[in-house]
Amino acid sequence: MSLQIQMLGTGSAFAKTLYNTSALVRSNNKNILIDCGHTTPKSLDDIQVQPDQIEGIIISHIHADHIGGLEEMAFRLLYEFNQKKTKLFMTPAIAAILWENTLKGGMYNPSDGFNGIEDYFDIVLLEESKPTEIVPGFTIELISTLHIPHKPSYSLFINEQTFYSADTKFNEELLIHEVINKRNCHTILHDCQLGGHGAIHATLAELLTLPEEIQQRIHLMHYGDEMVNYIGKTGKMTFIKQHDVLELPQ
């Protein structure tokens, strides 16, 4: 059995030369997306993966760089792939706002019977902090993390051994006590704001305060176009780049 995670993009929301941060998980010939930003369909095309080859999409939160590609995915599945639906995995808190607050404007089409998100996707609701097997060999646990106050946002544990932050403020207690001490995660994929004050993302300066033995497990993602200026300045942490593949134990 094999489990791979391939970064479809590693850029921040404002990056212009990098694709939106999202990932493709491959588990036993099944493909699952973690988020689907505006550039995700283009990145999938770059690696010759078509929408009908995606078994499901996990949504961490509803910022456009994480869900902006859902409309294209839905319409292509509808019109190019004979009304095929893919699964959309999310918590009830995300489900309550995704259609009304984001997708409805472009996708609402009552004359053809498309009145809600369930007309485009098979909705699978996930309970927070409860491990759920998505496909054989691939289990996720969504945990609530702080990104934008009063808006639901989640990080992921993958097979209890990999932590994928999505977007979150720096949380030393979570990283040290939960990710390392309690779960002993061998791999950490963490968003990284390279400069400035960390209002809604962990900054490089904050992540550099972590002990080196933790830094060694961290792959940095969701960074800006100026990343090239920071090569060699990330301590024991490394930048993961677009289309890089990590092999993960199951």
Side-chain angles (χ1 to χ4, degrees), residues 131-190:
T132 303
E133 188 173 59
I134 300 300
V135 295
F138 175 42
T139 295
I140 67 162
E141 180 181 348
L142 293 174
I143 64 164
S144 180
T145 45
L146 183 59
H147 180 39
I148 300 293
H150 312 299
K151 288 189 176 182
S153 187
Y154 300 92
S155 295
L156 291 73
F157 285 105
I158 299 172
N159 286 7
E160 300 184 357
Q161 297 179 301
T162 297
F163 179 71
Y164 185 101
S165 74
D167 288 3
T168 183
K169 295 177 68 173
F170 181 65
N171 188 332
E172 182 179 21
E173 181 177 358
L174 170 67
L175 288 170
I176 293 178
H177 297 295
E178 181 74 16
V179 175
I180 299 298
N181 292 344
K182 181 178 178 180
R183 300 179 186 248
N184 193 28
C185 289
H186 58 77
T187 302
I188 300 170
L189 290 149
H190 209 292

Side-chain angles (χ1 to χ4, degrees), residues 27-173:
S27 178
N28 301 303
N29 298 315
K30 303 291 186 181
N31 295 318
I32 301 291
L33 292 181
I34 300 176
D35 288 330
C36 185
H38 290 295
T39 60
T40 300
K42 175 62 169 67
S43 188
L44 286 171
D45 187 69
D46 290 345
I47 61 172
Q48 299 183 329
V49 174
Q50 297 301 314
D52 67 329
Q53 297 174 285
I54 302 299
E55 303 290 330
I57 305 170
I58 301 163
I59 303 300
S60 67
H61 64 294
I62 68 166
H63 278 159
D65 60 316
H66 293 262
I67 55 87
L70 286 178
E71 181 176 311
E72 179 179 336
M73 291 290 286
F75 284 154
R76 291 189 64 196
L77 288 167
L78 175 64
Y79 296 115
E80 293 182 12
F81 297 100
N82 197 30
Q83 300 186 357
K84 176 181 170 65
K85 287 184 179 182
T86 195
K87 294 182 175 66
L88 202 58
F89 298 95
M90 53 189 169
T91 65
I94 295 289
I97 57 177
L98 179 58
W99 174 258
E100 289 293 334
N101 290 16
T102 302
L103 298 180
K104 185 176 181 179
M107 298 173 67
Y108 180 60
N109 182 9
S111 62
D112 288 334
F114 295 98
N115 298 296
I117 195 169
E118 66 280 353
D119 295 316
Y120 292 97
F121 297 100
D122 288 330
I123 305 303
V124 181
L125 297 180
L126 301 178
E127 185 178 337
E128 293 182 27
S129 302
K130 179 180 180 180
T132 303
E133 188 173 59
I134 300 300
V135 295
F138 175 42
T139 295
I140 67 162
E141 180 181 348
L142 293 174
I143 64 164
S144 180
T145 45
L146 183 59
H147 180 39
I148 300 293
H150 312 299
K151 288 189 176 182
S153 187
Y154 300 92
S155 295
L156 291 73
F157 285 105
I158 299 172
N159 286 7
E160 300 184 357
Q161 297 179 301
T162 297
F163 179 71
Y164 185 101
S165 74
D167 288 3
T168 183
K169 295 177 68 173
F170 181 65
N171 188 332
E172 182 179 21
E173 181 177 358

Side-chain angles (χ1 to χ4, degrees), residues 1-12:
M1 299 176 72
S2 64
L3 183 68
Q4 291 182 335
I5 185 166
Q6 182 171 20
M7 299 307 298
L8 296 176
T10 55
S12 69

